Amino acid sequence: MSLILGIESSCDETAAALVTSDREVLAHRLAGQEAAHRPFGGVVPEIAARAHVEILPELIKGALADAGVGLDQVDAIAATAGPGLIGGVMVGLVTAKGLALAAGKPLIALNHLEGHALSPMLSQPDLRFPYLLLLVSGGHCQLLFVEGVGRYRRLATTIDDAAGEAFDKTAKLLGLGFPGGPAVERAAVSGDARAVPLPRPLIRSAEPHFSFAGLKGAVLRARDSGQYAANDIAASFQQAVVDCLVDRTERALAKAQGATALVVAGGVAANGAVRSALTRLAASSDLPFVAPPLWLCTDNAAMIAWAGALRFEVGLVDELDAPARARWPLDPDAERARGAGVKA
Ligand code: KG4
Ligand code: ZN
C-alpha cells in the first residue's frame, strides 16, 4: 500500500490531497478562486498563478494535518505538470519538486487528463480496464479508450471549443454569471429546451469528433434577436450540447470494442442533463454507466494523488527536471482531427 500527496494547480482550483493505493482519501483540500476571477467573467491566468502561490503552502500543510501524517510518511509526491495555464502549473510542479527534494521522495509529474481519466476508478472499485471515457471539462472534450495506466487511445476530440467552454461562454452571453456551467444548468430548469432552434454541430458525422464554436455563435444570434427569454436559450443550448455528446459518444462506442463500461469525467459531468442522457445511452448499449461523485468530477487533487498512486505502484516516477507543459496530449499518437483549430 502506498500513500501519495497530490497537488493540483492547472486552472483556477488550488488543491492538495492524500490518497492511498487502497482508495482511501485521507485528506482533500481545495480552494476555488471564483471571487477573484468573477469581475472578468473568466479565468485570468496571471491572477490564478499568483493565487496558487499564496494558497498552496497552507493547503498542503492543512491536508497533511487532516490526514495526521508527516511528509516523511508519504511515498511519493504527484503534481499536475500540464496541460493547463502554464503559470499555475509551474507553481504546483515547482512546489512538488521542492518537497520531493527536501523529503527525499520520488516525484510524479502527472498529466492532468490522466487524473480525470483514472478518477472514476477511485470512486468505483468494480471498474475494470478497458473503458470508454467521455472527458468533458472547461479545457477538453475528448473520447478516450482507457486501456490501462498510461495507456490511452484518443478516439475523438473537439475541433474548436470544449463543451465546458461553450457553457461558460453561453453564460457570459446571457449574463448568467461565472462559473458558467452551473449557472446555465440552473437557468435551464425553468426554460423550454425546444424554444430556440439551435444547431447540433457534427452530429451524425462519421468520426466521433466534437465542435461547439458554431453553437456559441447561434446562441449569440438568438440573444441578439430579442425573441427569446434567457432561460429558454439556456435550456435549448444545454439540450443541443447533450444531443451532441450522446451522438458522438454512441459513435465512439462502436470503436471501443471490449469496453467494460461507459464512463464520464470532467467538470461538465456534474451536469444533471448530461448524466441522465449518458445513463440512458449506457443502458441501451448494455454497459454499466460510471460517473464519479461531483467533487471528483471537477478539478481536485484527490484524482491527481490517485493517478499518482496507480503510476507509483507500477514504478512510473519522474526526474526532478520534468517540464511544466501548457499542452500535453494524453495520446501523442492520435491523429489530428480534421478542421481542428478552426475557431469561430
Ligand atoms: O474539470 P474542470 O473543473 O476544469 C477543467 O479541467 O477544465 O471543468 C470545469 C468546467 C467549466 O467549464 C464549468 O463551466 C463546467 O466544467 N461545469 C459545468 C457544470 N459544472 C461545471 N458545465 C455544465 N453543467 C454543470 N453543472
Ligand atoms: Zn480538469
Side-chain angles (χ1 to χ4, degrees):
M1 203 266 291
S2 49
L3 172 62
I4 311 293
L5 167 64
I7 294 172
E8 163 58 34
S9 62
S10 65
C11 191
D12 60 342
E13 240 86 47
T14 320
L18 285 136
V19 176
T20 72
S21 52
D22 288 349
R23 295 190 167 76
E24 238 193 301
V25 180
L26 297 184
H28 86 97
R29 285 208 179 197
L30 185 137
Q33 308 171 0
E34 277 152 22
H37 300 289
R38 188 165 289 123
F40 306 95
V43 178
V44 183
E46 173 76 17
I47 293 175
R50 286 169 187 264
H52 291 308
V53 171
E54 284 167 20
I55 303 164
L56 188 54
E58 281 307 314
L59 273 187
I60 295 172
K61 271 195 229 160
L64 287 166
D66 292 348
V69 299
L71 209 50
D72 52 321
Q73 287 161 278
V74 164
D75 292 295
I77 297 162
T80 292
L85 302 174
I86 195 68
V89 171
M90 285 166 83
V91 173
L93 183 60
V94 167
T95 303
K97 287 180 179 181
L99 293 175
L101 193 61
K105 304 288 181 182
L107 170 78
I108 299 165
L110 211 99
N111 187 314
H112 179 82
L113 301 176
E114 182 167 34
H116 280 300
L118 298 175
S119 66
M121 284 196 145
L122 175 57
S123 59
Q124 181 55 264
D126 303 333
L127 182 59
R128 296 279 171 273
F129 298 123
Y131 51 86
L132 179 67
L133 172 78
L134 171 64
L135 173 55
V136 264
S137 69
H140 302 275
C141 191
Q142 306 191 342
L143 282 154
L144 294 161
F145 193 52
V146 181
E147 295 173 312
V149 177
R151 290 169 49 216
Y152 312 97
R153 198 146 54 80
R154 198 190 75 190
L155 302 177
T157 186
T158 177
I159 64 167
D160 41 55
D161 295 348
E165 199 178 348
F167 269 97
D168 294 333
K169 286 178 179 163
T170 294
K172 202 169 178 179
L173 287 173
L174 299 178
L176 296 174
F178 173 83
V184 170
E185 185 172 17
R186 271 195 305 277
V189 172
S190 55
D192 176 359
R194 286 157 309 180
V196 189
L198 292 174
R200 269 75 174 149
L202 291 187
I203 210 161
R204 285 188 282 281
S205 65
E207 292 301 317
H209 295 306
F210 301 92
S211 167
F212 294 105
L215 186 52
K216 178 182 67 191
V219 166
L220 174 65
R221 286 189 294 279
R223 182 200 69 177
D224 289 349
S225 75
Q227 286 182 55
Y228 307 105
N231 54 353
D232 285 341
I233 301 179
S236 302
F237 162 80
Q238 180 172 274
Q239 189 58 51
V241 173
V242 166
D243 290 349
C244 293
L245 293 178
V246 168
D247 175 82
R248 312 287 62 215
T249 305
E250 192 171 11
R251 180 82 45 172
L253 273 172
K255 293 173 174 268
Q257 247 91 52
T260 62
L262 173 60
V263 181
V264 67
V268 181
N271 185 284
V274 170
R275 280 183 182 239
S276 11
L278 291 173
T279 304
R280 285 192 297 275
L281 173 63
S284 73
S285 312
D286 271 335
L287 284 174
F289 176 63
V290 176
L294 298 191
W295 72 270
L296 203 51
C297 280
T298 47
D299 286 351
N300 65 86
M303 70 178 190
I304 301 302
W306 167 246
L310 292 180
R311 287 187 80 88
F312 182 74
E313 292 283 307
V314 293
L316 292 170
V317 298
D318 296 282
E319 299 296 331
L320 282 177
D321 62 356
R325 311 186 207 192
R327 290 181 176 274
W328 185 3
L330 200 48
D331 175 4
D333 301 329
E335 267 178 50
R336 210 175 133 81
R338 254 197 306 152
V342 187
K343 286 230 176 198

